[in-house]
Amino acid sequence: MLFLEMILVALQSVRANLFRAILTMLGIIIGVASVITMVAIGTGARAAVDEQIEALGASVLNIRTGNFMRMGVAQSGATLTIGDAEALARDAATVEAVVPEAAQQLQVKFGAENRNLRIVGVTPNFAAVNSYTLAAGSLFTLADDSAKRPVAVLGNSVPAQLKTTREAMLGGTIYIKGIAFRVIGVLEEKGASGFRNVDEQVWIPLATAQFRVFGSDTLDNISAKVSPAVPVERAMVDIERVLRREHNLLPGKDNDFSIGDPRQFFNVRETAANIFAILLASIASISLIVGGIGIMNIMLVTVTERTREIGIRKALGATRFNILLQFIVEAMVLCLLGGTVGILLGTGVAALLSRVLGWSIVVSPTAIGVAFGFSAAVGLFFGIWPARKAARLDPIEALRYE
Amino acid sequence: MTPSISQSDTVILTRGLERSFTMGDSVIRALSGVDLTIRRGEYVAIMGPSGSGKSTLMNIIGCLDQPDAGEYWLNGTLVSNLGDADLAAVRNREIGFVFQTFNLLNRADALHNVELPLIYSGVPRRERVARATETLLQVGLGDRMHHRPSELSGGQRQRVAVARALVTRPSLLLADEPTGALDSTTAREIMGLFAELHAQGNTLVVVTHDAGVAAEAHRTVRLRDGRIESDTQNAEKATA
Ligand SMILES: Nc1ncnc2c1ncn2[C@@H]1O[C@H](COP(=O)(O)OP(=O)(O)OP(=O)(O)O)[C@@H](O)[C@H]1O
Ligand SMILES: [Mg+2]
């Protein structure tokens, strides 16, 4: 009840000096608005990136043989084998599906045209794992694979590369290393991802590739699709564990394979968002400090202006603590009012930015809570000193003050 | 903890009160040894020339100020060495102080001004409003409860101040030149109010320059240079 009186007195005092109060709150308003906008943009950007990764099937990790450079010399690591792929499918719990791949750049002949294309031998689940969809025809099957049948699925731009049409090629025959392959399907356009254009590839059953075309049973890479709701980092650790075991690597030895995280292509955008967030965070903290100093200044003025009132209240039975609390409450009311306006403003700016940038921007309740907390803390921190000054006034001198 | 004095009808007891102020190099002795006893139900006027220490004495009696030396017992409690919170409680419960310049809160209406001491003693809102209203009626301001001080005349303001001093039912009502800022008609009204309050059994100490005002009291204490010069009963009133 005494506390209620304090809040009422504080609101009265704000109303009595409305313009001054607004000017004082400006720092807090800008600070809090920046915090809200910053957090909204940060979360929004991250959500957008996650969404894109999801859409592009980027939760697929790419495991390659460790052909890495050391001291300027190319080191040839151990090769990846079908055994590795099987071990991953069996033992890596965080991995949902595994696609072993063997690839070579080879001449593809169709009619009179020929072209150097990337021929990829894969298991039939490759399309599902990489979220490739068929534009026409069908995919090859496990039976095709085990029978080493010469069938091929083309990337979307392969017919154009061979100066013909999808219709002309479907059901037709292409020659790879002199072997006749029947074209059974063409994929939808996927667009370049990373450094490789999958639209210019030709997929054939893995067994066919290894034993009839390439003449080698090694793999070039393994694609591993991370199980839903599993963090990519965890899957990477899991894969590393299984492969090190398969390759009999002793602790302390380097990996002879590498796990590529496709998210790296999205990092640029996230970095940009982070820089923006850091910028706003600095504006926010500077504004909050400057705003806090403004609050302190105005509270000192208020205490001086209301010296007589303080004397009266003390004469009527207010303790030092009562007076201290009253002025702290007043500083906090100023800050919380500023904070509320700042939250509204920040939400508005975030909504505007979301329109302009086309990002989905999320104003989280946590951010609002944090902003409120911050305003209250600023009020408390910068309000204590003026309030102490008020509390320590001598009643007689305060009553005499003109 | 605090020693008490058996004479239960003694409200104020001071022994050797001293208070001096330092102004630059010079020390002003405002009070130099004041011994004063005031009993319950007394109506005492304090007179004396300007600068004789009347206000200084009243401030100490009202627990707004502390003596440099000497003892002050209020209702049997030694208050000259109480801490801030205890002093605030004494000011709140035991003392009603009326100032020459009213000292009302300008932003609050009459009712809220009178409620103020009750807010600090933690009286619930409902009871607070009831008591403040009742007290304002008592001082004849039933129709001015929601007026702010700036919308009231000097006499009305002083009535609000008196109501505020009375609302906690204090054991001691102090007034430092309560009519000093009022014209003579209004001053008489306020003094009439004091006479009424005294008749109801309140203990009153009033500082005044006005012999007419002092004549209302039952006892007159005269100060000079920080000492009690004379202490006389007003025979006519005392027997009345
Ligand atoms: N805060 C102070 N600082 C310095 N000197 C003071 C202070 N308060 C009072 N005095 C001095 O103490 C002496 C007594 O002052 P006090 O106010 O008690 O006089 P008074 O009897 O109330 O006078 P008046 O009738 O004019 O109100 C005066 O000389 C005054 O100048
Ligand atoms: Mg005086």
Side-chain angles (χ1 to χ4, degrees):
Chain A
M1 165 195 46
L2 181 52
F3 194 66
L4 190 73
E5 155 86 3
M6 287 173 183
I7 291 175
L8 287 178
V9 167
L11 288 175
Q12 242 175 26
S13 143
V14 168
R15 210 178 46 193
N17 300 295
L18 193 59
F19 188 59
R20 191 169 90 181
I22 290 171
L23 286 181
T24 307
M25 290 184 292
L26 218 51
I28 304 290
I29 292 175
I30 293 172
V32 167
S34 314
V35 170
I36 294 289
T37 314
M38 170 186 81
V39 174
I41 286 173
T43 5
R46 207 148 303 128
V49 168
D50 287 348
E51 217 167 80
Q52 286 193 348
I53 290 172
E54 200 53 46
L56 292 174
S59 56
V60 177
L61 296 175
N62 195 14
I63 304 148
R64 256 171 284 170
T65 50
N67 283 338
F68 48 89
M69 299 286 284
R70 180 178 284 168
M71 293 178 195
V73 182
Q75 309 278 313
S76 181
T79 51
L80 289 169
T81 63
I82 284 286
D84 293 334
E86 282 165 355
L88 282 176
R90 191 179 59 235
D91 299 336
T94 55
V95 169
E96 184 181 69
V98 172
V99 185
E101 295 178 15
Q104 273 184 25
Q105 202 76 22
L106 291 172
Q107 197 81 356
V108 176
K109 215 168 139 266
F110 178 72
E113 289 296 329
N114 64 58
R115 187 99 197 174
N116 218 7
L117 295 174
R118 191 160 184 269
I119 313 298
V120 193
V122 285
T123 46
N125 62 348
F126 80 99
V129 165
N130 292 299
S131 332
Y132 300 154
T133 41
L134 264 177
S138 59
L139 295 169
F140 46 79
T141 61
L142 278 172
D144 292 331
D145 190 32
S146 46
K148 306 184 187 78
R149 288 193 188 115
V151 287
V153 173
L154 308 181
N156 194 270
S157 61
V158 172
Q161 300 252 316
L162 292 165
K163 301 195 175 66
T164 177
T165 61
R166 179 195 299 169
E167 289 71 28
M169 290 196 75
L170 205 60
T173 306
I174 55 173
Y175 291 89
I176 303 168
K177 271 196 169 172
I179 303 162
F181 278 78
R182 194 160 57 85
V183 176
I184 57 168
V186 179
L187 297 180
E188 290 280 15
E189 189 176 338
K190 188 73 182 168
S193 102
F195 54 90
R196 191 169 283 152
N197 188 353
V198 294
D199 291 334
E200 295 175 7
Q201 298 189 131
V202 174
W203 287 271
I204 58 178
L206 179 64
T208 315
Q210 288 182 323
F211 301 110
R212 296 183 63 172
V213 186
F214 304 158
S216 152
D217 64 355
T218 64
L219 299 177
D220 291 282
N221 64 289
I222 299 173
S223 293
K225 188 176 172 71
V226 180
S227 298
V230 171
V232 172
E233 288 74 14
R234 257 195 54 209
M236 288 171 84
V237 171
D238 204 20
I239 291 166
E240 190 176 359
R241 177 183 61 82
V242 173
L243 287 184
R244 285 185 70 89
R245 191 197 63 202
E246 286 300 305
H247 292 189
N248 299 317
L249 292 177
L250 295 173
K253 277 203 82 176
D254 288 338
N255 287 343
D256 56 4
F257 54 90
S258 64
I259 306 168
D261 180 357
R263 290 177 310 163
Q264 67 205 19
F265 300 118
F266 300 94
N267 282 350
V268 178
R269 180 152 174 194
E270 212 175 339
T271 308
N274 282 343
I275 289 172
F276 196 41
I278 288 167
L279 199 72
L280 273 171
S282 355
I283 295 175
S285 38
I286 292 169
S287 307
L288 283 175
I289 291 172
V290 172
I293 292 169
I295 297 275
M296 177 143 85
N297 182 39
I298 222 68
M299 287 311 297
L300 285 171
V301 171
T302 303
V303 168
T304 308
E305 278 177 351
R306 285 162 58 190
T307 299
R308 211 179 163 85
E309 176 191 326
I310 294 163
I312 294 171
R313 288 180 184 276
K314 285 197 155 189
L316 297 178
T319 59
R320 259 182 225 156
F321 183 69
N322 290 150
I323 301 291
L324 182 84
L325 208 59
Q326 180 179 334
F327 283 91
I328 288 178
V329 163
E330 207 160 315
M332 286 177 73
V333 161
L334 268 180
C335 284
L336 288 177
L337 282 178
T340 310
V341 176
I343 287 168
L344 294 178
L345 190 70
T347 311
V349 171
L352 199 75
L353 276 177
S354 124
R355 261 274 172 96
V356 173
L357 298 175
W359 293 5
S360 58
I361 276 175
V362 189
V363 177
S364 68
T366 329
I368 290 177
V370 167
F372 255 116
F374 252 111
S375 331
V378 166
L380 187 65
F381 185 79
F382 290 98
I384 277 184
W385 194 53
R388 257 170 63 96
K389 215 183 137 199
R392 294 172 129 186
L393 284 175
D394 178 69
I396 301 279
E397 272 164 34
L399 281 170
R400 276 224 190 103
Y401 187 84
E402 294 300 327
Chain B
M1 183 189 76
T2 41
S4 67
I5 274 178
S6 56
Q7 298 143 288
S8 62
D9 66 337
T10 301
V11 181
I12 295 171
L13 179 74
T14 74
R15 285 292 169 265
L17 280 192
E18 287 182 23
R19 181 76 169 101
S20 46
F21 298 99
T22 316
M23 293 282 285
D25 293 339
S26 62
V27 175
I28 301 160
R29 286 176 64 98
L31 294 179
S32 37
V34 172
D35 299 339
L36 182 67
T37 307
I38 294 175
R39 266 182 263 284
R40 196 166 310 286
E42 275 197 289
Y43 186 174
V44 180
I46 295 183
M47 298 190 74
S50 185
S52 57
K54 303 183 297 292
S55 295
T56 307
L57 179 61
M58 286 296 266
N59 290 339
I60 291 174
I61 290 176
C63 292
L64 291 170
D65 196 11
Q66 298 278 64
D68 300 328
E71 292 179 348
Y72 169 31
W73 301 75
L74 175 66
N75 293 316
T77 306
L78 184 61
V79 291
S80 38
N81 55 7
L82 288 182
D84 171 71
D86 290 330
L87 272 181
V90 170
R91 288 197 287 262
N92 184 246
R93 304 218 172 91
E94 304 295 337
I95 294 161
F97 211 123
V98 178
F99 303 89
Q100 178 174 359
T101 51
F102 321 132
N103 279 335
L104 298 174
L105 293 189
N106 294 324
R107 278 209 291 262
D109 62 11
L111 186 66
H112 192 84
N113 265 293
V114 178
E115 275 182 64
L116 220 50
L118 299 179
I119 288 175
Y120 287 112
S121 53
V123 176
R125 199 187 124 74
R126 204 176 258 277
E127 187 192 336
R128 207 166 70 205
V129 172
R131 276 170 66 180
T133 307
E134 184 193 325
T135 316
L136 276 169
L137 285 170
Q138 193 187 340
V139 299
L141 282 180
D143 54 347
R144 293 285 187 279
M145 298 217 253
H146 297 293
H147 286 58
R148 292 181 181 201
S150 57
E151 297 155 355
L152 294 171
S153 74
Q156 287 167 334
R157 285 183 217 180
Q158 197 58 301
R159 279 166 189 273
V160 174
V162 171
R164 184 181 65 185
L166 280 176
V167 76
T168 55
R169 302 195 187 105
S171 56
L172 181 60
L173 204 57
L174 303 175
D176 191 351
E177 301 193 43
T179 58
L182 304 175
D183 64 66
S184 56
T185 322
T186 322
R188 263 196 301 282
E189 276 172 33
I190 295 293
M191 292 324 292
L193 184 59
F194 279 8
E196 245 173 72
L197 294 173
H198 176 243
Q200 288 162 14
N202 288 293
T203 310
L204 268 73
V205 182
V206 179
V207 169
T208 184
H209 279 292
D210 187 333
V213 168
E216 297 276 328
H218 295 207
R219 178 179 162 195
T220 304
V221 174
R222 286 182 185 280
L223 289 186
R224 183 175 295 276
D225 298 332
R227 287 176 207 279
I228 294 181
E229 187 189 42
S230 69
D231 187 344
T232 53
Q233 296 287 329
N234 183 339
E236 174 197 328
K237 284 279 177 181
T239 51

